[in-house]
């Protein structure tokens, strides 16, 4: 029996997370374009945001993730309808996006942990 290309509805929570991921990708593109070189060379701590001093790689991954998710948003009617192939493509786009965001998330987590452990660093 042949398989039909039937679309299924996805949960609104997953659609909201895809839109949030797209916004985070766009934010990362802007940050890496504007501050990427400074983040690379300022210190080892800030180079964490650029995955060890590779802001162009992070910029390219974030741009690719954003473009993939934007295209998929059109194909899936705002991430509300999907097929097996579109779900696979969405998962790949999410992996690319999370790869681009990993350095920024690590930088924020280390900064928050440092604040929690050491408290106020300036008098």
């Amino acid at each position: 029996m042949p398989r039909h290309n039937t679309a299924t509805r996805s949960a609104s929570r997953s659609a909201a997370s895809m839109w949030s991921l797209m916004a985070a990708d766009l934010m990362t593109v802007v940050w890496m374009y504007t501050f990427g070189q400074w983040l690379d060379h300022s210190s080892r701590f800030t180079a964490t945001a650029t995955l060890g001093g590779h802001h162009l790689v992070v910029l390219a991954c974030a741009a690719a993730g954003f473009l993939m998710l934007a295209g998929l948003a059109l194909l899936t009617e705002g991430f509300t309808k999907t097929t097996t192939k579109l779900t696979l493509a969405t998962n790949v786009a999410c992996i690319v996006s999370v790869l681009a965001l990993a350095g920024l998330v690590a930088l924020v987590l280390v900064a928050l942990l440092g604040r929690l452990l050491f408290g106020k660093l300036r008098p």
Side-chain angles (χ1 to χ4, degrees):
M1 197 182 267
R3 294 172 77 184
H4 296 286
N5 196 8
T6 60
T8 59
R9 282 240 181 252
S10 63
S12 62
R13 186 181 305 175
S14 65
S17 64
M18 294 301 151
W19 287 109
S20 299
L21 191 58
M22 276 182 63
D25 277 336
L26 188 58
M27 177 203 68
T28 303
V29 168
V30 171
W31 271 78
M32 287 301 130
Y33 181 77
T34 307
F35 300 111
Q37 194 166 11
W38 177 81
L39 289 169
D40 281 346
H41 302 295
S42 180
S43 71
R44 289 177 132 184
F45 178 68
T46 59
T48 303
T50 61
L51 300 177
H54 304 288
H55 77 279
L56 293 176
V57 173
V58 174
L59 180 102
C61 285
F66 175 77
L67 291 174
M68 289 169 65
L69 286 171
L72 287 165
L74 293 173
L75 294 173
T76 60
E77 297 178 17
F79 303 111
T80 58
K81 294 182 180 177
T82 188
T83 63
T84 305
K85 290 180 182 179
L86 290 174
T87 301
L88 181 64
T90 303
N91 289 339
V92 170
C94 287
I95 290 170
V96 171
S97 295
V98 168
L99 174 69
L101 296 170
L104 288 173
V105 170
L107 179 74
V108 169
L109 289 177
V110 167
L112 290 174
L113 182 65
R115 175 69 182 211
L116 181 69
L117 292 177
F118 301 116
K120 196 172 187 180
L121 296 178
R122 294 186 179 165

